[in-house]
mmCIF file of all heavy atoms in Angstrom:
data_model
loop_
_atom_site.group_PDB
_atom_site.id
_atom_site.type_symbol
_atom_site.label_atom_id
_atom_site.label_comp_id
_atom_site.label_asym_id
_atom_site.label_seq_id
_atom_site.Cartn_x
_atom_site.Cartn_y
_atom_site.Cartn_z
ATOM 1 N N ASP B 72 -18.602 -13.638 14.403
ATOM 2 C CA ASP B 72 -17.376 -13.908 15.175
ATOM 3 C C ASP B 72 -16.144 -13.546 14.357
ATOM 4 O O ASP B 72 -16.168 -13.655 13.138
ATOM 5 C CB ASP B 72 -17.350 -15.291 15.649
ATOM 6 C CG ASP B 72 -17.196 -16.332 14.524
ATOM 7 O OD1 ASP B 72 -18.081 -16.402 13.629
ATOM 8 O OD2 ASP B 72 -16.179 -17.095 14.520
ATOM 9 N N TRP B 73 -15.110 -13.063 15.044
ATOM 10 C CA TRP B 73 -13.833 -12.671 14.357
ATOM 11 C C TRP B 73 -12.991 -13.972 14.276
ATOM 12 O O TRP B 73 -12.837 -14.712 15.141
ATOM 13 C CB TRP B 73 -13.128 -11.647 15.261
ATOM 14 C CG TRP B 73 -13.681 -10.247 15.083
ATOM 15 C CD1 TRP B 73 -14.596 -9.776 15.951
ATOM 16 C CD2 TRP B 73 -13.440 -9.337 14.094
ATOM 17 N NE1 TRP B 73 -14.907 -8.397 15.546
ATOM 18 C CE2 TRP B 73 -14.233 -8.184 14.341
ATOM 19 C CE3 TRP B 73 -12.704 -9.326 12.910
ATOM 20 C CZ2 TRP B 73 -14.234 -7.087 13.573
ATOM 21 C CZ3 TRP B 73 -12.645 -8.179 12.137
ATOM 22 C CH2 TRP B 73 -13.451 -7.136 12.417
ATOM 23 N N ARG B 74 -12.391 -14.079 13.044
ATOM 24 C CA ARG B 74 -11.541 -15.235 12.834
ATOM 25 C C ARG B 74 -10.211 -14.792 12.218
ATOM 26 O O ARG B 74 -10.210 -13.962 11.389
ATOM 27 C CB ARG B 74 -12.164 -16.243 11.791
ATOM 28 C CG ARG B 74 -13.424 -16.878 12.240
ATOM 29 C CD ARG B 74 -14.043 -17.839 11.226
ATOM 30 N NE ARG B 74 -15.396 -18.187 11.628
ATOM 31 C CZ ARG B 74 -16.183 -18.968 10.868
ATOM 32 N NH1 ARG B 74 -15.709 -19.454 9.661
ATOM 33 N NH2 ARG B 74 -17.460 -19.286 11.154
ATOM 34 N N HIS B 75 -9.096 -15.341 12.807
ATOM 35 C CA HIS B 75 -7.809 -15.126 12.193
ATOM 36 C C HIS B 75 -7.518 -16.351 11.387
ATOM 37 O O HIS B 75 -7.171 -17.428 11.800
ATOM 38 C CB HIS B 75 -6.730 -15.000 13.392
ATOM 39 C CG HIS B 75 -6.934 -13.752 14.183
ATOM 40 N ND1 HIS B 75 -6.324 -12.612 13.952
ATOM 41 C CD2 HIS B 75 -7.939 -13.487 15.110
ATOM 42 C CE1 HIS B 75 -6.724 -11.695 14.802
ATOM 43 N NE2 HIS B 75 -7.707 -12.257 15.547
ATOM 44 N N GLU B 76 -7.570 -16.189 10.016
ATOM 45 C CA GLU B 76 -7.362 -17.238 9.141
ATOM 46 C C GLU B 76 -5.903 -17.248 8.625
ATOM 47 O O GLU B 76 -5.263 -16.254 8.449
ATOM 48 C CB GLU B 76 -8.273 -17.185 7.958
ATOM 49 C CG GLU B 76 -9.740 -17.302 8.364
ATOM 50 C CD GLU B 76 -10.639 -17.042 7.210
ATOM 51 O OE1 GLU B 76 -10.602 -15.973 6.592
ATOM 52 O OE2 GLU B 76 -11.485 -17.922 6.915
ATOM 53 N N GLU B 77 -5.473 -18.501 8.327
ATOM 54 C CA GLU B 77 -4.136 -18.618 7.784
ATOM 55 C C GLU B 77 -4.110 -18.060 6.375
ATOM 56 O O GLU B 77 -5.044 -18.255 5.638
ATOM 57 C CB GLU B 77 -3.754 -20.140 7.725
ATOM 58 C CG GLU B 77 -2.311 -20.416 8.079
ATOM 59 C CD GLU B 77 -2.086 -21.881 8.150
ATOM 60 O OE1 GLU B 77 -2.556 -22.486 9.133
ATOM 61 O OE2 GLU B 77 -1.440 -22.406 7.237
ATOM 62 N N GLY B 78 -3.168 -17.209 6.038
ATOM 63 C CA GLY B 78 -3.025 -16.670 4.778
ATOM 64 C C GLY B 78 -3.663 -15.269 4.579
ATOM 65 O O GLY B 78 -3.461 -14.563 3.679
ATOM 66 N N ALA B 79 -4.450 -14.929 5.621
ATOM 67 C CA ALA B 79 -5.220 -13.737 5.496
ATOM 68 C C ALA B 79 -4.439 -12.672 6.283
ATOM 69 O O ALA B 79 -3.941 -13.037 7.369
ATOM 70 C CB ALA B 79 -6.600 -13.793 6.034
ATOM 71 N N SER B 80 -4.269 -11.468 5.766
ATOM 72 C CA SER B 80 -3.464 -10.469 6.484
ATOM 73 C C SER B 80 -4.231 -9.762 7.625
ATOM 74 O O SER B 80 -3.588 -9.159 8.443
ATOM 75 C CB SER B 80 -2.959 -9.386 5.523
ATOM 76 O OG SER B 80 -4.082 -8.922 4.768
ATOM 77 N N HIS B 81 -5.524 -9.963 7.687
ATOM 78 C CA HIS B 81 -6.351 -9.301 8.717
ATOM 79 C C HIS B 81 -7.336 -10.300 9.257
ATOM 80 O O HIS B 81 -7.715 -11.237 8.579
ATOM 81 C CB HIS B 81 -7.083 -8.130 8.004
ATOM 82 C CG HIS B 81 -6.295 -7.108 7.317
ATOM 83 N ND1 HIS B 81 -5.931 -7.218 6.059
ATOM 84 C CD2 HIS B 81 -5.661 -6.068 7.852
ATOM 85 C CE1 HIS B 81 -5.149 -6.137 5.729
ATOM 86 N NE2 HIS B 81 -5.008 -5.436 6.823
ATOM 87 N N PRO B 82 -7.763 -10.009 10.553
ATOM 88 C CA PRO B 82 -8.787 -10.864 11.001
ATOM 89 C C PRO B 82 -10.076 -10.504 10.271
ATOM 90 O O PRO B 82 -10.236 -9.402 9.800
ATOM 91 C CB PRO B 82 -8.906 -10.377 12.464
ATOM 92 C CG PRO B 82 -8.296 -8.988 12.550
ATOM 93 C CD PRO B 82 -7.309 -8.982 11.449
ATOM 94 N N ARG B 83 -10.926 -11.500 10.025
ATOM 95 C CA ARG B 83 -12.247 -11.295 9.345
ATOM 96 C C ARG B 83 -13.434 -11.534 10.274
ATOM 97 O O ARG B 83 -13.350 -12.516 11.028
ATOM 98 C CB ARG B 83 -12.292 -12.179 8.137
ATOM 99 C CG ARG B 83 -11.289 -11.812 7.026
ATOM 100 C CD ARG B 83 -11.199 -12.961 6.028
ATOM 101 N NE ARG B 83 -10.384 -12.484 4.900
ATOM 102 C CZ ARG B 83 -9.850 -13.382 3.914
ATOM 103 N NH1 ARG B 83 -9.977 -14.628 4.169
ATOM 104 N NH2 ARG B 83 -9.172 -12.906 3.051
#
Side-chain angles (χ1 to χ4, degrees):
Chain B
D72 66 300
W73 285 94
R74 297 183 192 175
H75 294 262
E76 293 173 305
E77 221 173 285
S80 54
H81 303 91
R83 288 167 172 162

